[in-house]
């Protein structure tokens, strides 16, 4: 199975290190660089201040199948409501906890597996046509 690609947009090196350490426990997850041309399945943003929400919302609007996780030490209910309305799938409070990251990644992988299986199921159809007598056009079809 193709690995799930994660792109990190984390400014604090300690937070980035903690997230990468937790991700290493999953074989089916791969962290890609910011310069990578591959489309990630997940982007993890660190919210430094409320002005970053515009950048995050713009990213969500331009991507279709990429999920967004948000890391922040600000758990203000207004910010949480804004992020939920924007389409952020997971809000992880700082400082990070390995169990919190693992739980969020498991939920992410479950959603992605379901999405991938729906895409695979609807890839195409095969229809067989059998004529009951000659000259009804089954060869043409």
């Amino acid at each position: 199975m193709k690995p799930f690609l994660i792109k990190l947009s984390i400014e604090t090196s300690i937070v980035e290190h903690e997230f990468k350490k937790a991700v290493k426990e999953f074989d089916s997850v791969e962290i890609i660089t910011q310069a990578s041309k591959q489309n990630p399945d997940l982007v993890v943003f660190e919210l430094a201040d409320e002005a970053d929400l515009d950048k995050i919302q713009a990213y969500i609007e331009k991507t279709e199948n990429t999920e967004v996780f948000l890391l922040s030490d600000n758990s203000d209910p207004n910010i949480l409501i804004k992020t939920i309305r924007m389409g952020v799938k997971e809000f992880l409070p700082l400082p990070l906890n390995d169990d919190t990251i693992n739980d969020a990644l498991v939920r992410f992988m479950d959603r992605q597996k379901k999405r991938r299986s729906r895409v695979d199921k609807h890839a195409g159809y095969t229809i067989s046509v059998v004529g009951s007598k000659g000259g009804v056009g089954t060869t043409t079809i």
Side-chain angles (χ1 to χ4, degrees), residues 100-111:
T100 305
I101 298 170
N102 290 345
D103 292 345
L105 287 172
V106 166
R107 287 189 298 270
F108 157 74
M109 289 188 292
D110 287 344
R111 287 188 299 266

mmCIF file with all atom_site columns, all heavy atoms in Angstrom, residues 100-111:
data_model
loop_
_atom_site.group_PDB
_atom_site.id
_atom_site.type_symbol
_atom_site.label_atom_id
_atom_site.label_alt_id
_atom_site.label_comp_id
_atom_site.label_asym_id
_atom_site.label_entity_id
_atom_site.label_seq_id
_atom_site.pdbx_PDB_ins_code
_atom_site.Cartn_x
_atom_site.Cartn_y
_atom_site.Cartn_z
_atom_site.occupancy
_atom_site.B_iso_or_equiv
_atom_site.pdbx_formal_charge
_atom_site.auth_seq_id
_atom_site.auth_comp_id
_atom_site.auth_asym_id
_atom_site.auth_atom_id
_atom_site.pdbx_PDB_model_num
ATOM 1   N N   . THR A 1 100 ? -1.762  11.759 22.118 1.00 0.00 ? 100 THR A N   1
ATOM 2   C CA  . THR A 1 100 ? -2.631  12.639 21.335 1.00 0.00 ? 100 THR A CA  1
ATOM 3   C C   . THR A 1 100 ? -2.276  12.576 19.855 1.00 0.00 ? 100 THR A C   1
ATOM 4   O O   . THR A 1 100 ? -3.159  12.473 19.002 1.00 0.00 ? 100 THR A O   1
ATOM 5   C CB  . THR A 1 100 ? -2.526  14.096 21.836 1.00 0.00 ? 100 THR A CB  1
ATOM 6   O OG1 . THR A 1 100 ? -2.800  14.123 23.229 1.00 0.00 ? 100 THR A OG1 1
ATOM 7   C CG2 . THR A 1 100 ? -3.482  15.003 21.105 1.00 0.00 ? 100 THR A CG2 1
ATOM 8   N N   . ILE A 1 101 ? -0.991  12.623 19.555 1.00 0.00 ? 101 ILE A N   1
ATOM 9   C CA  . ILE A 1 101 ? -0.534  12.546 18.159 1.00 0.00 ? 101 ILE A CA  1
ATOM 10  C C   . ILE A 1 101 ? -0.901  11.190 17.571 1.00 0.00 ? 101 ILE A C   1
ATOM 11  O O   . ILE A 1 101 ? -1.438  11.113 16.454 1.00 0.00 ? 101 ILE A O   1
ATOM 12  C CB  . ILE A 1 101 ? 0.989   12.781 18.052 1.00 0.00 ? 101 ILE A CB  1
ATOM 13  C CG1 . ILE A 1 101 ? 1.355   14.177 18.536 1.00 0.00 ? 101 ILE A CG1 1
ATOM 14  C CG2 . ILE A 1 101 ? 1.465   12.576 16.619 1.00 0.00 ? 101 ILE A CG2 1
ATOM 15  C CD1 . ILE A 1 101 ? 2.848   14.398 18.685 1.00 0.00 ? 101 ILE A CD1 1
ATOM 16  N N   . ASN A 1 102 ? -0.630  10.123 18.302 1.00 0.00 ? 102 ASN A N   1
ATOM 17  C CA  . ASN A 1 102 ? -0.924  8.778  17.798 1.00 0.00 ? 102 ASN A CA  1
ATOM 18  C C   . ASN A 1 102 ? -2.410  8.606  17.515 1.00 0.00 ? 102 ASN A C   1
ATOM 19  O O   . ASN A 1 102 ? -2.787  8.066  16.473 1.00 0.00 ? 102 ASN A O   1
ATOM 20  C CB  . ASN A 1 102 ? -0.444  7.720  18.788 1.00 0.00 ? 102 ASN A CB  1
ATOM 21  C CG  . ASN A 1 102 ? 1.064   7.632  18.864 1.00 0.00 ? 102 ASN A CG  1
ATOM 22  O OD1 . ASN A 1 102 ? 1.775   8.135  18.010 1.00 0.00 ? 102 ASN A OD1 1
ATOM 23  N ND2 . ASN A 1 102 ? 1.561   7.012  19.904 1.00 0.00 ? 102 ASN A ND2 1
ATOM 24  N N   . ASP A 1 103 ? -3.260  9.055  18.441 1.00 0.00 ? 103 ASP A N   1
ATOM 25  C CA  . ASP A 1 103 ? -4.706  8.935  18.239 1.00 0.00 ? 103 ASP A CA  1
ATOM 26  C C   . ASP A 1 103 ? -5.156  9.710  16.996 1.00 0.00 ? 103 ASP A C   1
ATOM 27  O O   . ASP A 1 103 ? -5.961  9.225  16.208 1.00 0.00 ? 103 ASP A O   1
ATOM 28  C CB  . ASP A 1 103 ? -5.476  9.430  19.463 1.00 0.00 ? 103 ASP A CB  1
ATOM 29  C CG  . ASP A 1 103 ? -5.288  8.529  20.674 1.00 0.00 ? 103 ASP A CG  1
ATOM 30  O OD1 . ASP A 1 103 ? -4.800  7.386  20.513 1.00 0.00 ? 103 ASP A OD1 1
ATOM 31  O OD2 . ASP A 1 103 ? -5.612  8.982  21.797 1.00 0.00 ? 103 ASP A OD2 1
ATOM 32  N N   . ALA A 1 104 ? -4.629  10.924 16.836 1.00 0.00 ? 104 ALA A N   1
ATOM 33  C CA  . ALA A 1 104 ? -4.991  11.742 15.677 1.00 0.00 ? 104 ALA A CA  1
ATOM 34  C C   . ALA A 1 104 ? -4.530  11.088 14.380 1.00 0.00 ? 104 ALA A C   1
ATOM 35  O O   . ALA A 1 104 ? -5.256  11.085 13.382 1.00 0.00 ? 104 ALA A O   1
ATOM 36  C CB  . ALA A 1 104 ? -4.396  13.137 15.812 1.00 0.00 ? 104 ALA A CB  1
ATOM 37  N N   . LEU A 1 105 ? -3.325  10.520 14.380 1.00 0.00 ? 105 LEU A N   1
ATOM 38  C CA  . LEU A 1 105 ? -2.817  9.863  13.173 1.00 0.00 ? 105 LEU A CA  1
ATOM 39  C C   . LEU A 1 105 ? -3.600  8.601  12.832 1.00 0.00 ? 105 LEU A C   1
ATOM 40  O O   . LEU A 1 105 ? -3.835  8.303  11.658 1.00 0.00 ? 105 LEU A O   1
ATOM 41  C CB  . LEU A 1 105 ? -1.329  9.546  13.318 1.00 0.00 ? 105 LEU A CB  1
ATOM 42  C CG  . LEU A 1 105 ? -0.400  10.757 13.236 1.00 0.00 ? 105 LEU A CG  1
ATOM 43  C CD1 . LEU A 1 105 ? 1.031   10.357 13.584 1.00 0.00 ? 105 LEU A CD1 1
ATOM 44  C CD2 . LEU A 1 105 ? -0.462  11.391 11.865 1.00 0.00 ? 105 LEU A CD2 1
ATOM 45  N N   . VAL A 1 106 ? -4.024  7.862  13.840 1.00 0.00 ? 106 VAL A N   1
ATOM 46  C CA  . VAL A 1 106 ? -4.836  6.669  13.588 1.00 0.00 ? 106 VAL A CA  1
ATOM 47  C C   . VAL A 1 106 ? -6.165  7.072  12.951 1.00 0.00 ? 106 VAL A C   1
ATOM 48  O O   . VAL A 1 106 ? -6.615  6.458  11.971 1.00 0.00 ? 106 VAL A O   1
ATOM 49  C CB  . VAL A 1 106 ? -5.054  5.859  14.887 1.00 0.00 ? 106 VAL A CB  1
ATOM 50  C CG1 . VAL A 1 106 ? -6.145  4.824  14.718 1.00 0.00 ? 106 VAL A CG1 1
ATOM 51  C CG2 . VAL A 1 106 ? -3.756  5.207  15.329 1.00 0.00 ? 106 VAL A CG2 1
ATOM 52  N N   . ARG A 1 107 ? -6.807  8.120  13.481 1.00 0.00 ? 107 ARG A N   1
ATOM 53  C CA  . ARG A 1 107 ? -8.064  8.595  12.886 1.00 0.00 ? 107 ARG A CA  1
ATOM 54  C C   . ARG A 1 107 ? -7.836  9.077  11.459 1.00 0.00 ? 107 ARG A C   1
ATOM 55  O O   . ARG A 1 107 ? -8.627  8.810  10.550 1.00 0.00 ? 107 ARG A O   1
ATOM 56  C CB  . ARG A 1 107 ? -8.670  9.706  13.752 1.00 0.00 ? 107 ARG A CB  1
ATOM 57  C CG  . ARG A 1 107 ? -9.271  9.209  15.052 1.00 0.00 ? 107 ARG A CG  1
ATOM 58  C CD  . ARG A 1 107 ? -10.047 10.310 15.762 1.00 0.00 ? 107 ARG A CD  1
ATOM 59  N NE  . ARG A 1 107 ? -9.238  11.449 16.141 1.00 0.00 ? 107 ARG A NE  1
ATOM 60  C CZ  . ARG A 1 107 ? -8.596  11.573 17.310 1.00 0.00 ? 107 ARG A CZ  1
ATOM 61  N NH1 . ARG A 1 107 ? -8.664  10.610 18.214 1.00 0.00 ? 107 ARG A NH1 1
ATOM 62  N NH2 . ARG A 1 107 ? -7.892  12.650 17.566 1.00 0.00 ? 107 ARG A NH2 1
ATOM 63  N N   . PHE A 1 108 ? -6.731  9.798  11.233 1.00 0.00 ? 108 PHE A N   1
ATOM 64  C CA  . PHE A 1 108 ? -6.379  10.278 9.898  1.00 0.00 ? 108 PHE A CA  1
ATOM 65  C C   . PHE A 1 108 ? -6.228  9.113  8.921  1.00 0.00 ? 108 PHE A C   1
ATOM 66  O O   . PHE A 1 108 ? -6.781  9.125  7.819  1.00 0.00 ? 108 PHE A O   1
ATOM 67  C CB  . PHE A 1 108 ? -5.088  11.104 9.961  1.00 0.00 ? 108 PHE A CB  1
ATOM 68  C CG  . PHE A 1 108 ? -4.340  11.185 8.671  1.00 0.00 ? 108 PHE A CG  1
ATOM 69  C CD1 . PHE A 1 108 ? -4.804  11.976 7.631  1.00 0.00 ? 108 PHE A CD1 1
ATOM 70  C CD2 . PHE A 1 108 ? -3.177  10.471 8.477  1.00 0.00 ? 108 PHE A CD2 1
ATOM 71  C CE1 . PHE A 1 108 ? -4.117  12.054 6.432  1.00 0.00 ? 108 PHE A CE1 1
ATOM 72  C CE2 . PHE A 1 108 ? -2.480  10.536 7.294  1.00 0.00 ? 108 PHE A CE2 1
ATOM 73  C CZ  . PHE A 1 108 ? -2.956  11.328 6.267  1.00 0.00 ? 108 PHE A CZ  1
ATOM 74  N N   . MET A 1 109 ? -5.471  8.085  9.321  1.00 0.00 ? 109 MET A N   1
ATOM 75  C CA  . MET A 1 109 ? -5.233  6.945  8.427  1.00 0.00 ? 109 MET A CA  1
ATOM 76  C C   . MET A 1 109 ? -6.529  6.192  8.143  1.00 0.00 ? 109 MET A C   1
ATOM 77  O O   . MET A 1 109 ? -6.739  5.732  7.016  1.00 0.00 ? 109 MET A O   1
ATOM 78  C CB  . MET A 1 109 ? -4.161  6.029  9.012  1.00 0.00 ? 109 MET A CB  1
ATOM 79  C CG  . MET A 1 109 ? -2.783  6.667  8.954  1.00 0.00 ? 109 MET A CG  1
ATOM 80  S SD  . MET A 1 109 ? -1.433  5.566  9.413  1.00 0.00 ? 109 MET A SD  1
ATOM 81  C CE  . MET A 1 109 ? -1.747  5.333  11.144 1.00 0.00 ? 109 MET A CE  1
ATOM 82  N N   . ASP A 1 110 ? -7.403  6.084  9.128  1.00 0.00 ? 110 ASP A N   1
ATOM 83  C CA  . ASP A 1 110 ? -8.704  5.435  8.895  1.00 0.00 ? 110 ASP A CA  1
ATOM 84  C C   . ASP A 1 110 ? -9.522  6.200  7.860  1.00 0.00 ? 110 ASP A C   1
ATOM 85  O O   . ASP A 1 110 ? -10.107 5.600  6.959  1.00 0.00 ? 110 ASP A O   1
ATOM 86  C CB  . ASP A 1 110 ? -9.496  5.321  10.203 1.00 0.00 ? 110 ASP A CB  1
ATOM 87  C CG  . ASP A 1 110 ? -8.947  4.269  11.138 1.00 0.00 ? 110 ASP A CG  1
ATOM 88  O OD1 . ASP A 1 110 ? -8.152  3.404  10.688 1.00 0.00 ? 110 ASP A OD1 1
ATOM 89  O OD2 . ASP A 1 110 ? -9.298  4.314  12.344 1.00 0.00 ? 110 ASP A OD2 1
ATOM 90  N N   . ARG A 1 111 ? -9.556  7.529  7.991  1.00 0.00 ? 111 ARG A N   1
ATOM 91  C CA  . ARG A 1 111 ? -10.303 8.344  7.009  1.00 0.00 ? 111 ARG A CA  1
ATOM 92  C C   . ARG A 1 111 ? -9.698  8.208  5.620  1.00 0.00 ? 111 ARG A C   1
ATOM 93  O O   . ARG A 1 111 ? -10.417 8.080  4.625  1.00 0.00 ? 111 ARG A O   1
ATOM 94  C CB  . ARG A 1 111 ? -10.318 9.814  7.441  1.00 0.00 ? 111 ARG A CB  1
ATOM 95  C CG  . ARG A 1 111 ? -11.205 10.128 8.613  1.00 0.00 ? 111 ARG A CG  1
ATOM 96  C CD  . ARG A 1 111 ? -11.318 11.627 8.840  1.00 0.00 ? 111 ARG A CD  1
ATOM 97  N NE  . ARG A 1 111 ? -10.062 12.278 9.125  1.00 0.00 ? 111 ARG A NE  1
ATOM 98  C CZ  . ARG A 1 111 ? -9.582  12.519 10.355 1.00 0.00 ? 111 ARG A CZ  1
ATOM 99  N NH1 . ARG A 1 111 ? -10.261 12.136 11.419 1.00 0.00 ? 111 ARG A NH1 1
ATOM 100 N NH2 . ARG A 1 111 ? -8.429  13.142 10.519 1.00 0.00 ? 111 ARG A NH2 1
#
